Amino acid sequence: MSNGQGCILDGKLPFCLYELYSSYKKGTRTITEWLVAHGSVDGAICSWVVTVRDLVQLADNVKRKSIEVPITVASIMKDTIEARAQLSHYFTRIPTKHTDFTANSSHENVSVGAAPGKLCDDCKIESSNPYSMLECHHERNMVLDQPAHLEDVQPYTDSGAPPHVLKIEKGSPRIADDDLGEAVEILRCLQEMQDLCAAAKQSWEHTATGSNPLVVAALITNVAFAIVHEIDSRLCSILGNADPEALFVRYTALLSSLSRIPQRSEGVSPCLGCAFGEDLRRPWQILLSFKNDLHKDQGDVPRFQKPTDYIVSLDDNRLEAEQISWTMMLRSMVNLIASATGRGPTDIMWLCSPFVDEIRAFLLADGATQGIKCAFGLRVILEGFKGHLWSLESSPNKINCRVEALRFTEEVIISVGSVLDDSTMPCRCPHTLASYLERYRNDLLAYTKESAFDLYFQSPWVAGSHMLEILDMSFYYGLRLCSYRNYVGSVLHVYNVLIKFGNLQTVPLFEGLTKMFLGVIFLGECPSRNFASCLMRFMGGRIRFNNAHSRRRHITQHSCGWDMEMPRAPIFEGKGLRREISDERFKYDKFSLFYQIKGAGYTLDDGLWAQVFGGRKGKKASRREKFEARRKLERVTTSHHPLQQVEQEALIDFEGDFPVAKINLYEVYLACANIVSRVSDDLHGAKGDHCLCFVETLLKAADRYQAHRETLKSFPQPHVLQITEQAFRDVLEGRPLSEFFWRL
């Protein structure tokens, strides 16, 4: 942000500077492409990287060929000159301790006019030097790379452009060694990582006050870490295989050579972006030292470490405490990596712990592989620990995240075990839902037996990520239970009939489930007629024309020419999961944005960002909405980071009278199966049949009653109606709604 004088108030360059920078870069690339395309001679330029001296030679060649400069290129020159002038003027207005800044900035714009001067007579625009923005000292070069965050800003175009104006593509010619452009790119990456770290820490501070569940803060931190993967790719395109030390050294060298990026006035940091550069250098130095001593015997990691002994607030011992904390965490991760041999493909400790793969790749590689991501991971895990532990003013937070993860795991184990012990799960044959639930429970039991109370596994990010993965897997299998044997869907359809024609009072649980599954089980709207057909359509039935009826010349009033036919069960040949597992109707994006982000691997594309900014859960974003989302991402402000918007939208699924993200679908399934069992037992006199024939009887009776309500005095099947109502009361009586939600 900047004030009216162009001064930096928060140590960051304003968005308007990046817009000017993008315009300057794209225009210059267009001009360079035109010169290379029309001024090249065989053997004159053998590389796509050119210098200013090469451009002078290209201009000479264009002049000798008597090639007319197209008006489109001339117009782009004019716009680019203006953008560069504003960019330079912005820096000249910023107060700085570097006295040679103004001279250097102006010198770059006006020192050389040889190359453009050779062609200016052919350009009929109001400028004596249409290529002046390319001018710089002969011994200096300029890089004209497009900033990665502004890829969608289109260069100047004209519908009447001559056919010989080239299209900008990857691999276009560029002018090498633009210190200003490289510094701006690195500064932007540093600012983005700093904002991501601050947003993640703020989310963990909210967990300490109880306003955020641990799983939401873990989601936000994982999204931030996924964004750093993209930032790391951008930095590697600038510096090669970048690491924090090389990044910091290169950036400070650029600032020193330019002498134009202003220092911050109050001594907070030596220069723009250098503060977080230092924050990345410290964990990077720990990583290098740890890697060098990896083969030395460092002793065993204590099984229990008290977080307050290592994670300290701001004091004189902070730097030393950070070094010890990072070393302890790295030792825990190395032990986890070493014990990975023999672990199963569903092991929670191994697969769900954050940035272990990056640490493993770094330790096994010869160079600085994954350097930026590893350093950022160590920084954000420590800042999140501080935010969760020390956000309360009176005393440190007493909530131990590892204990919370174990408590939640035990809760899930009990619910999964109750389903497996139910009579509706008679066998454990391979590739059945019961077999996968059995394996899932074994994984949870193995997780609870891990004696992991060291600093790494007690950290909020790690424990929260474990809880997030367990919650996600529980929701996944819970949705599969909702289509298993059609118990849940049948009971919801029956509940709809009981509310309309019976004496049953509304049940908050089924009211919430009806709204949650409205588009899946009820196909968009609760039926008020054709109840049996709606259920059959949910079960997979399709409309079939009855030929016998069609041959009749006269169809009676009660006959129907349409019938329902159930599809055959698909054949899987032992591959993958059976139908109840692979039901495509129950997808994350239909129920919760929280689970949708998790299912996308924490990588938000334009469509997901459009949902975050527009609140369009489960709806496909239009091109316009995606464009608006990209624009909002570019206009990041200090006061409101996009991750804060993600946090707000994710919290919606955890709040309200019926928080969808917390629903325990195992208890929902057991309640529905119990209702079916009670009604079936009363009607058939047998125990444990779980027969659904009463559903068809009840729904067809409702169809008949609705169609002939004026002539029928009472419901056609009062006995079945009364038994079903009583079953609902017996199963749900005395059970609060909170029993059907996870305690997060």
Side-chain angles (χ1 to χ4, degrees):
M1 301 175 69
S2 62
N3 58 11
Q5 304 300 322
C7 298
I8 294 177
L9 300 179
D10 58 359
K12 297 181 180 180
L13 298 180
F15 175 75
C16 63
L17 179 112
Y18 293 113
E19 288 185 320
L20 293 173
Y21 175 71
S22 175
S23 177
Y24 148 66
K25 283 286 193 179
K26 288 194 172 185
T28 308
R29 288 179 62 186
T30 303
I31 298 168
T32 306
E33 285 186 341
W34 190 87
L35 285 174
V36 171
H38 296 81
S40 299
V41 180
D42 294 339
I45 296 180
C46 57
S47 173
W48 284 108
V49 180
V50 298
T51 63
V52 173
R53 291 178 179 176
D54 294 326
L55 292 180
V56 174
Q57 181 181 353
L58 291 171
D60 286 331
N61 296 338
V62 171
K63 187 74 172 181
R64 285 195 301 268
K65 294 178 182 180
S66 300
I67 299 176
E68 180 181 358
V69 180
I71 188 61
T72 305
V73 175
S75 299
I76 293 176
M77 287 186 223
K78 184 178 180 180
D79 294 341
T80 306
I81 293 168
E82 182 179 356
R84 176 67 189 202
Q86 294 181 33
L87 182 66
S88 300
H89 182 60
Y90 175 84
F91 281 107
T92 59
R93 294 188 302 165
I94 299 180
T96 175
K97 296 181 180 180
H98 301 293
T99 57
D100 60 338
F101 163 69
T102 303
N104 286 347
S105 178
S106 302
H107 178 71
E108 185 177 84
N109 277 336
V110 299
S111 60
V112 177
K118 297 178 182 296
L119 302 176
C120 64
D121 293 337
D122 298 326
C123 282
K124 299 180 180 180
I125 60 173
E126 297 178 0
S127 174
S128 60
N129 190 358
Y131 293 97
S132 59
M133 64 83 52
L134 290 175
E135 299 171 357
C136 65
H137 195 276
H138 281 280
E139 302 300 327
R140 295 174 54 88
N141 303 317
M142 296 175 59
V143 175
L144 292 155
D145 287 328
Q146 178 183 357
H149 69 289
L150 292 172
E151 292 177 354
D152 297 315
V153 180
Q154 300 299 323
Y156 181 93
T157 58
D158 192 315
S159 58
H164 50 271
V165 176
L166 298 181
K167 178 182 178 182
I168 296 179
E169 297 177 350
K170 292 184 178 179
S172 300
R174 60 188 180 90
I175 308 176
D177 299 335
D178 177 17
D179 290 347
L180 176 61
E182 190 173 331
V184 172
E185 292 287 353
I186 295 176
L187 175 58
R188 179 169 177 80
C189 292
L190 289 172
Q191 289 180 356
E192 288 180 2
M193 288 190 288
Q194 183 179 10
D195 292 340
L196 291 170
C197 186
K201 182 178 181 180
Q202 185 182 50
S203 185
W204 289 112
E205 290 174 348
H206 294 163
T207 63
T209 59
S211 57
N212 268 18
L214 292 175
V215 291
V216 173
L219 179 84
I220 298 303
T221 309
N222 288 328
V223 171
F225 193 69
I227 296 175
V228 171
H229 281 253
E230 186 268 336
I231 296 175
D232 179 65
S233 299
R234 286 156 48 189
L235 288 174
C236 287
S237 66
I238 300 173
L239 304 175
N241 195 9
D243 62 73
E245 182 68 25
L247 175 67
F248 186 81
V249 171
R250 177 58 179 163
Y251 182 57
T252 53
L254 289 171
L255 301 187
S256 177
S257 64
L258 290 170
S259 298
R260 67 191 54 176
I261 304 295
Q263 294 182 347
R264 294 189 63 175
S265 56
E266 299 173 355
V268 178
S269 63
C271 62
L272 281 173
C274 293
F276 195 74
E278 287 284 2
D279 288 342
L280 289 180
R281 285 182 71 194
R282 287 195 291 271
W284 173 247
Q285 292 168 356
I286 299 298
L287 281 165
L288 290 178
S289 177
F290 186 85
K291 185 176 182 179
N292 293 332
D293 300 336
L294 185 61
H295 299 291
K296 297 181 180 179
D297 186 10
Q298 300 181 1
D300 297 331
V301 179
R303 290 190 173 183
F304 179 81
Q305 294 173 310
K306 190 175 180 181
T308 52
D309 292 342
Y310 298 90
I311 311 300
V312 299
S313 57
L314 296 177
D315 55 22
D316 296 336
N317 298 325
R318 179 176 62 88
L319 298 181
E320 181 181 358
E322 287 182 350
Q323 179 178 351
I324 297 175
S325 300
W326 283 325
T327 303
M328 290 295 180
M329 291 181 185
L330 286 172
R331 290 170 61 185
S332 298
M333 282 188 277
V334 168
N335 291 340
L336 179 63
I337 294 171
S339 64
T341 303
R343 290 181 178 266
T346 60
D347 187 89
I348 296 173
M349 291 292 274
W350 166 243
L351 296 177
C352 306
S353 299
F355 81 101
V356 173
D357 290 335
E358 287 76 14
I359 292 294
R360 181 176 181 272
F362 166 73
L363 294 177
L364 296 179
D366 295 332
T369 303
Q370 310 286 343
I372 297 291
K373 289 178 281 189
C374 290
F376 180 85
L378 289 178
R379 171 55 63 186
V380 78
I381 194 175
L382 188 62
E383 294 300 320
F385 218 144
K386 292 178 182 178
H388 177 77
L389 191 63
W390 295 106
S391 61
L392 302 178
E393 297 180 357
S394 57
S395 60
N397 189 1
K398 296 182 180 180
I399 298 178
N400 188 293
C401 296
R402 170 65 177 166
V403 174
E404 286 296 305
L406 292 175
R407 180 203 58 76
F408 174 64
T409 307
E410 290 287 351
E411 184 181 0
V412 176
I413 290 174
I414 294 174
S415 294
V416 176
S418 299
V419 172
L420 289 173
D421 295 338
D422 192 72
S423 59
T424 58
M425 295 284 175
C427 68
R428 304 293 186 267
C429 296
H431 305 299
T432 61
L433 178 58
S435 67
Y436 286 99
L437 286 175
E438 181 76 24
R439 186 184 66 183
Y440 178 46
R441 182 176 64 172
N442 293 337
D443 291 338
L444 295 175
L445 289 171
Y447 175 75
T448 58
K449 295 177 182 179
E450 295 279 359
S451 179
F453 280 90
D454 50 41
L455 205 59
Y456 175 72
F457 288 107
Q458 289 185 85
S459 64
W461 187 16
V462 176
S465 295
H466 292 171
M467 293 178 65
L468 174 57
E469 294 289 341
I470 294 173
L471 178 66
D472 174 74
M473 187 62 71
S474 299
F475 189 73
Y476 172 80
Y477 282 122
L479 289 177
R480 306 289 76 78
L481 280 172
C482 290
S483 62
Y484 178 74
R485 294 192 176 185
N486 295 309
Y487 290 149
V488 175
S490 298
V491 169
L492 286 178
H493 276 273
V494 168
Y495 172 77
N496 179 50
V497 170
L498 296 181
I499 292 298
K500 285 180 169 58
F501 304 113
N503 298 320
L504 184 67
Q505 300 295 323
T506 57
V507 180
L509 172 64
F510 288 107
E511 290 293 324
L513 290 173
T514 299
K515 184 181 297 184
M516 176 180 175
F517 293 119
L518 191 64
V520 178
I521 293 179
F522 294 101
L523 307 180
E525 183 180 2
C526 286
S528 57
R529 58 188 179 89
N530 297 327
F531 300 98
S533 298
C534 290
L535 175 62
M536 295 293 285
R537 290 292 292 167
F538 158 69
M539 290 183 175
R542 58 184 175 86
I543 297 176
R544 181 187 64 181
F545 191 77
N546 193 324
N547 292 329
H549 283 244
S550 66
R551 288 193 295 267
R552 299 178 184 176
R553 298 185 61 182
H554 301 285
I555 300 178
T556 62
Q557 183 179 0
H558 301 292
S559 64
C560 179
W562 299 90
D563 196 3
M564 303 299 298
E565 179 184 11
M566 294 297 294
R568 296 181 179 180
I571 300 175
F572 286 89
E573 300 178 355
K575 298 178 181 179
L577 309 182
R578 291 189 183 272
R579 182 176 183 276
E580 61 265 22
I581 301 297
S582 57
D583 194 336
E584 293 296 322
R585 296 171 298 176
F586 293 87
K587 289 185 176 181
Y588 285 168
D589 56 0
K590 297 181 179 180
F591 309 109
S592 169
L593 180 63
F594 173 83
Y595 289 113
Q596 189 177 0
I597 295 174
K598 169 63 181 67
Y602 309 109
T603 302
L604 278 70
D605 57 12
D606 292 340
L608 272 177
W609 278 117
Q611 292 189 43
V612 169
F613 289 120
R616 295 172 54 86
K617 181 179 67 174
K619 297 181 180 179
K620 187 176 180 179
S622 63
R623 294 179 61 184
R624 180 65 182 177
E625 290 171 333
K626 292 180 180 180
F627 174 77
E628 292 296 334
R630 288 195 297 268
R631 295 295 293 172
K632 290 180 180 179
L633 288 175
E634 292 170 1
R635 297 181 179 274
V636 176
T637 62
T638 306
S639 59
H640 190 76
H641 193 272
L643 284 185
Q644 296 175 350
Q645 185 69 28
V646 176
E647 182 180 10
Q648 293 176 9
E649 294 297 324
L651 280 175
I652 295 177
D653 295 333
F654 289 85
E655 298 173 342
D657 298 332
F658 198 87
V660 175
K662 296 170 61 177
I663 184 69
N664 184 346
L665 293 175
Y666 301 93
E667 294 297 327
V668 170
Y669 169 80
L670 290 174
C672 293
N674 197 1
I675 291 174
V676 172
S677 177
R678 286 175 178 269
V679 178
S680 176
D681 293 347
D682 289 343
L683 291 178
H684 296 287
K687 298 296 182 181
D689 282 348
H690 292 90
C691 180
L692 288 173
C693 64
F694 78 94
V695 178
E696 182 182 10
T697 302
L698 197 61
L699 296 185
K700 286 186 176 181
D703 287 337
R704 183 183 174 191
Y705 184 65
Q706 180 67 22
H708 304 87
R709 202 161 188 171
E710 297 179 356
T711 59
L712 294 177
K713 296 181 179 180
S714 61
F715 195 80
Q717 295 285 344
H719 180 61
V720 178
L721 187 68
Q722 293 174 2
I723 291 178
T724 307
E725 287 180 348
Q726 189 59 42
F728 271 81
R729 296 189 186 99
D730 293 342
V731 171
L732 300 175
E733 188 176 7
R735 298 188 66 180
L737 185 61
S738 59
E739 286 190 12
F740 297 92
F741 294 95
W742 303 114
R743 293 183 293 114
L744 295 173

